[in-house]
Amino acid sequence: MKLRYILKSLWMPAALLAALGAVMGAWKLLHTAPPLEPLPSTAASPLYEAGDKTMTVYVKAVAAEDGKLVNQAATIRESKDRVNQMKQALLAYLDGPRTGRAQVPVPEGTALNEFYLTPTGSAVADLSLAQVERDKVGFYQEALFVRCLIDTLTGNFFEIKQVKILVDGQDQPTLFGHYALGTSEAAMPATVNGNSQF
């Protein structure tokens, strides 16, 4: 009888010690495990899925031999989301060739912050120009950059009726101090020296 009482009285402290050991082990595991990676936000989600087919879009570029505007083929993915296709085309323009027979008139360091399409067909391209050496961009390059950006978007996507360019989310009168931006730029053929290039 005494032995049974002794074993019963020892069971309670042993159970408490086991519970305390489990709590201490869990605490140690939680504080030594590597932190969980945050889930990706929708803003950082990919513009296409791995199985999406490729498609060709045309970015506006300047021919090196005569300075005329030409269509330069670029390959993007046929995302199910049309706006993601538009964003890919804009990125293809911004990252286009700066050497060779046809060059995009994009100032080095120009980056895309965000792109979206309004229900009325206005494409909004929010650019970052912080890395651009502004004193190296003249009126002609600024005007060509804006015109070719607009023509790249409107020439590939019938849904886009006009384009609005923002700088770091803000309306600006110019990008680099030369070419006056309107509230939005409608699609129309660009001309150089009075001759239509399209």
Side-chain angles (χ1 to χ4, degrees), residues 102-148:
Q103 304 166 21
V104 293
V106 179
E108 196 72 43
T110 304
L112 181 65
N113 289 326
E114 189 56 71
F115 174 84
Y116 56 92
L117 183 69
T118 69
T120 60
S122 289
V124 180
D126 179 15
L127 303 177
S128 171
L129 307 176
Q131 300 300 315
V132 177
E133 294 182 46
R134 293 171 183 256
D135 57 330
K136 292 186 177 179
V137 181
F139 174 83
Y140 184 67
Q141 186 181 8
E142 184 173 346
L144 272 179
F145 168 66
V146 171
R147 186 80 257 149
C148 290

Side-chain angles (χ1 to χ4, degrees), residues 26-101:
W27 182 83
K28 184 177 180 182
L29 179 65
L30 287 174
H31 289 286
T32 58
L36 295 174
E37 291 295 319
L39 294 173
S41 69
T42 55
S45 62
L47 298 176
Y48 56 87
E49 295 176 13
D52 290 344
K53 297 177 186 176
T54 60
M55 64 185 282
T56 300
V57 294
Y58 295 93
V59 298
K60 287 296 178 192
V62 179
E65 67 270 5
D66 58 11
K68 290 186 177 182
L69 299 182
V70 296
N71 287 323
Q72 178 74 31
T75 303
I76 65 169
R77 294 297 186 111
E78 198 172 334
S79 170
K80 293 169 187 66
D81 184 345
R82 188 76 164 157
V83 174
N84 281 346
Q85 292 177 18
M86 296 172 188
K87 189 172 183 179
Q88 289 178 72
L90 181 54
L91 289 169
Y93 169 67
L94 294 176
D95 296 335
R98 290 182 172 81
T99 59
R101 296 181 67 193

Side-chain angles (χ1 to χ4, degrees), residues 4-15:
R4 186 182 273 171
Y5 176 75
I6 292 171
L7 290 175
K8 192 175 185 182
S9 63
L10 288 177
W11 177 83
M12 289 297 271

